Amino acid sequence: KVECSESARFVYIVFAVHYNPGAIGSYHRDKAVFARSQDYGATFEMPKMIAPEEYNSRYHDIATRADNEIYVSWQQDSGQGTGYWYLHNYFIKSTNNGTSFTSWVRLDDGDYASTRYDKPALAIDDSARLYAAFVSVYPNRYLYYDLSESAGISFGTDRRIDETGTINPFDPPKIA
């Protein structure tokens, strides 16, 4: 996904790369990567990994506010247990046009070892309210919404939007 700063001087792209940290036959990982341009997209700096290296990270989203704030979210595989991968959604924030980012913060409220959340989407308004939407894929398929009134410092309780339990887990939500 591509976003730009308010002045459009800075252009930001978040994407995934297929990464193999070990020898042939080792587990391949998808990694969240961030790239930045400081000249209206004419050139880009070397992309950098922004999610923890030890886990898969995919289904990225990016939102910007003012002329220097960037918010990036992703779904992360957080280890395997009872036959299922624990999937949870995380985000990081930069207040200096992507020069550095905060530590990652978990978006969803689900029990860490028994729930699976997927495909986070972000939006932020001029008052620094950060909106998130995401899908649960286990034990049911529901659409959830969450709100931070503090630019991501803390979030409210996840709110389930639909009651059918039949959300398509392969179609990421969009939020604006």
Side-chain angles (χ1 to χ4, degrees), residues 50-176:
I50 54 174
E53 186 174 317
E54 64 269 23
Y55 303 116
N56 265 339
S57 55
R58 61 188 114 189
Y59 304 117
H60 316 96
D61 199 15
I62 187 170
T64 59
R65 177 178 169 269
D67 208 35
N68 64 342
E69 293 180 20
I70 305 164
Y71 300 81
V72 178
S73 64
W74 67 89
Q75 172 249 300
Q76 179 171 302
D77 296 353
S78 300
Q80 190 174 18
T82 62
Y84 290 98
W85 286 100
Y86 307 141
L87 305 177
H88 293 284
N89 297 317
Y90 293 86
F91 94 99
I92 55 175
K93 172 183 174 180
S94 173
T95 57
N96 56 14
N97 294 302
T99 300
S100 62
F101 286 90
T102 61
S103 297
W104 42 289
V105 174
R106 196 168 135 204
L107 286 172
D108 59 79
D109 296 338
D111 177 65
Y112 187 79
S114 65
T115 56
R116 298 172 75 191
Y117 292 93
D118 216 347
K119 300 171 182 67
L122 294 178
I124 188 151
D125 66 20
D126 292 338
S127 298
R129 287 183 294 256
L130 183 62
Y131 305 85
F134 48 89
V135 175
S136 68
V137 293
Y138 182 82
N140 294 301
R141 294 180 176 139
Y142 294 112
L143 176 64
Y144 284 88
Y145 163 82
D146 206 347
L147 170 66
S148 170
E149 303 223 26
S150 58
I153 293 171
S154 62
F155 281 85
T157 302
D158 299 346
R159 287 174 264 175
R160 192 166 63 199
I161 301 301
D162 80 295
E163 297 300 323
T164 65
T166 59
I167 292 294
N168 181 346
F170 302 106
D171 187 17
K174 309 290 187 276
I175 191 167

Side-chain angles (χ1 to χ4, degrees), residues 3 5 8-13 34-45 97:
E3 283 283 335
S5 63
R9 177 178 161 224
F10 288 91
V11 178
Y12 315 110
I13 302 175
F34 173 82
R36 175 178 80 164
S37 170
Q38 297 187 60
D39 55 10
Y40 303 92
T43 62
F44 281 85
E45 297 169 5
N97 294 302

